[in-house]
Amino acid sequence: MNSLSPSEKRQRNDHGRRGDPPPAPEPLPAPVLDSHTHLDLVGGDPDHWLAEAAAVNVTRVVQVGCDVPSSRYGVDLAHRNRAVLATVALHPNEAPRLGDRLDEALREIEAMAADPRVRGIGETGLDHFRTGEDGREAQERSFRAHIAIAKRYNKVLVIHDRDAHADILRVVDSEGAPEHVVMHCFSGDASFALECVKRGFALSFAGTVTFTSAAGLREAAHVTPLDQVLVETDSPFLTPMPYRGRPNNSYLVPLTVRSLATAMGVDLTELCDAISANGERIFGPW
């Protein structure tokens, strides 16, 4: 079993990214939030990047955990900087890597879940792209445990779904969803979007919605109601066009929001206001 954690693997993968950070885009006409970022992987001073984001009207972020160390990082940062809220979890690919240490790690995640600056349990879910058949039982057991934690502590469930749409719905339907569910980096088509919308989930769109090849994703955005949409970076990954492949950060959210407004056929300011209202309703006040 590979000994690297998901966050360590992602840091290693990011070493191959090319170029300097892109220039800041035109500020948005109203404030929004980045519903999913990994400032621990971005590098540098997080306060600097948060200030860069605020300068373009991205005034709040949700720092997302994917293992025990990154979850602790998020809790600490959220206590230190009021623009940040945290989520805590074991990434789906972390569960099979942990083996017989999974239960211990889940107990550590649950202990952090009680913190008032922790507003979500995630990113958890299923990943059929990187985890093969031999690891899927542990992955699903971890997902079900995270759902239970989210319901016990009345936290948002933040779902990672890669090539696992049907199984995500099967598990959530069988366990029963908490009050709020966010589909992180939504990757399905319009049909799957409607299934999620029907269940009351929020769909969080990343820079992928700007990619030329993502017509199906833009169709999914078009059928998503304004009161169920969020936007995210998943930084330092999934950098929006025209900077795909360069380092991503929350200050680039305006590029995604503008593309999303076009795909949804809504006014830009109206979309910004909806994203902010949805973020406050789902995650609570910052």
Side-chain angles (χ1 to χ4, degrees):
M1 193 72 69
N2 194 317
S3 62
L4 293 177
S5 72
S7 59
E8 290 168 334
K9 287 179 186 175
R10 296 178 86 179
Q11 283 177 313
R12 177 171 290 185
N13 291 341
D14 196 43
H15 291 166
R17 300 178 76 78
R18 296 285 185 265
D20 295 326
E26 181 183 352
L28 289 168
V32 300
L33 66 138
D34 178 354
S35 76
H36 192 114
T37 185
H38 299 279
L39 286 164
D40 53 316
L41 303 184
V42 167
D45 180 3
D47 292 336
H48 165 77
W49 294 120
L50 290 165
E52 291 287 299
V56 295
N57 243 345
V58 183
T59 57
R60 294 146 293 161
V61 308
V62 180
Q63 166 66 24
V64 174
C66 59
D67 53 21
V68 171
S70 62
S71 295
R72 287 188 183 130
Y73 173 96
V75 176
D76 291 344
L77 182 61
H79 276 282
R80 189 170 59 78
N81 192 309
R82 301 303 294 184
V84 180
L85 294 176
T87 75
V88 298
L90 308 175
H91 190 281
N93 296 323
E94 176 81 334
R97 187 189 77 86
L98 285 168
D100 59 9
R101 293 177 291 133
L102 175 58
D103 288 338
E104 177 185 354
L106 285 167
R107 285 193 293 271
E108 293 187 69
I109 293 300
E110 178 154 12
M112 286 184 271
D115 191 291
R117 297 295 290 167
V118 172
R119 303 293 175 80
I121 305 301
E123 59 188 282
T124 181
L126 301 172
D127 189 319
H128 290 176
F129 179 77
R130 295 197 182 278
T131 294
E133 292 287 348
D134 60 338
R136 289 183 185 171
E137 182 180 353
Q139 193 174 83
E140 185 168 320
R141 185 163 72 87
S142 177
F143 185 25
R144 290 180 184 275
H146 281 80
I147 294 171
I149 294 170
K151 291 197 291 188
R152 275 197 293 275
Y153 291 88
N154 193 28
K155 306 288 181 173
V156 183
L157 181 68
V158 179
I159 294 180
H160 170 107
D161 164 25
R162 189 159 187 188
D163 296 349
H165 302 335
D167 283 334
I168 288 287
L169 296 183
R170 172 181 59 80
V171 172
V172 176
D173 287 350
S174 67
E175 291 291 326
E179 181 180 2
H180 294 297
V181 175
V182 173
M183 297 297 291
H184 144 60
C185 187
F186 184 80
S187 59
D189 59 11
S191 176
F192 183 59
L194 289 172
E195 286 296 323
C196 294
V197 165
K198 180 173 68 177
R199 290 165 170 81
F201 301 171
L203 278 54
S204 185
F205 291 91
T208 44
V209 78
T210 72
F211 296 175
T212 305
S213 59
L217 193 54
R218 288 186 286 276
E219 290 171 3
H222 187 72
V223 302
T224 303
L226 267 177
D227 63 355
Q228 288 177 254
V229 68
L230 289 170
V231 69
E232 65 174 81
T233 54
D234 197 25
S235 62
F237 310 100
L238 306 180
T239 311
M241 295 293 286
Y243 304 111
R244 186 176 181 179
R246 289 170 67 176
N248 198 10
N249 215 318
S250 297
Y251 73 88
L252 296 175
V253 159
L255 298 172
T256 302
V257 175
R258 287 188 165 90
S259 179
L260 195 56
T262 300
M264 296 180 73
V266 299
D267 174 77
L268 179 60
T269 301
E270 183 182 12
L271 178 58
C272 291
D273 290 344
I275 289 168
S276 283
N278 296 341
E280 294 273 346
R281 185 184 74 252
I282 293 167
F283 292 102
W286 262 252

